Amino acid sequence: MGIPGVGEITALSFKAAVDDPACFKSSRTVGAHIGLTRRRFQSGETDNPGRISHAGDADVRATLYAAANAMLMRSITWSSLKAWGVRLMKAKGRRRAIVAVARKIAVVLHRMWVDGSDFRLGSETAA
C-alpha cells in the first residue's frame, strides 16, 4: 500500500491472485498473468497487436485499473511512475495510459513483495 493510489482492497486482491511470488521468474510476467498485456496475432509476415488479453482474474484487473486511475487523476504526490503515465496519456489517450500504469503497478507490487522494499517516488526531474 506504499504506492499512491493502491489501497487495502487492491493490495489484498493482488496478493490473493499472485499467491506465491516465487513462481514468477521475472516481475514483468505478472502483467501477463493478470491479463494486462497485449494479445498478439501473428501469421507469416503480418503482426497485429490486439487488445489486452483479459487472462486471469477480472477483479484484480479492475482493482489495478482503479488504483492506476486514482494515481493519475487524484493523487497529488508526483512520482516517476505518475510522470510516465501523464506523458503516455498525452500521447496515447487516457484509457490506454491507465491500463499501462496498472500493468506497471502490478510489476512494482510484485517486486516490492519479493524484495521487501518500499516504493521510491523517483527523482524530481522526472516530475
Side-chain angles (χ1 to χ4, degrees):
M1 293 186 323
I3 300 174
V6 175
E8 296 91 6
I9 295 173
T10 304
L12 284 175
S13 66
F14 179 79
K15 192 166 184 174
V18 172
D19 193 36
D20 182 22
C23 64
F24 296 101
K25 277 186 173 180
S26 169
S27 293
R28 293 174 59 177
T29 58
V30 174
H33 176 73
I34 295 173
L36 290 171
T37 57
R38 296 176 69 145
R39 175 179 262 170
R40 308 225 24 131
F41 301 100
Q42 294 179 334
S43 174
E45 293 182 9
T46 62
D47 183 17
N48 184 13
R51 297 175 183 225
I52 61 171
S53 66
H54 294 285
D57 193 4
D59 293 332
V60 178
R61 260 194 321 279
T63 57
L64 286 171
Y65 186 89
N69 190 27
M71 174 188 278
L72 290 177
M73 299 298 172
R74 300 190 185 275
S75 178
I76 297 171
T77 58
W78 276 89
S79 64
S80 57
L81 182 59
K82 181 176 178 173
W84 175 77
V86 168
R87 284 194 309 270
L88 195 62
M89 193 183 321
K90 289 178 184 175
K92 297 288 184 181
R94 186 177 68 85
R95 293 170 116 186
R96 284 186 181 179
I98 291 173
V99 170
V101 170
R103 187 193 64 78
K104 286 263 195 184
I105 286 174
V107 170
V108 170
L109 281 173
H110 180 265
R111 181 52 37 197
M112 287 171 55
W113 189 8
V114 169
D115 291 347
S117 59
D118 293 330
F119 180 70
R120 294 182 300 246
L121 293 175
S123 64
E124 290 295 322
T125 59

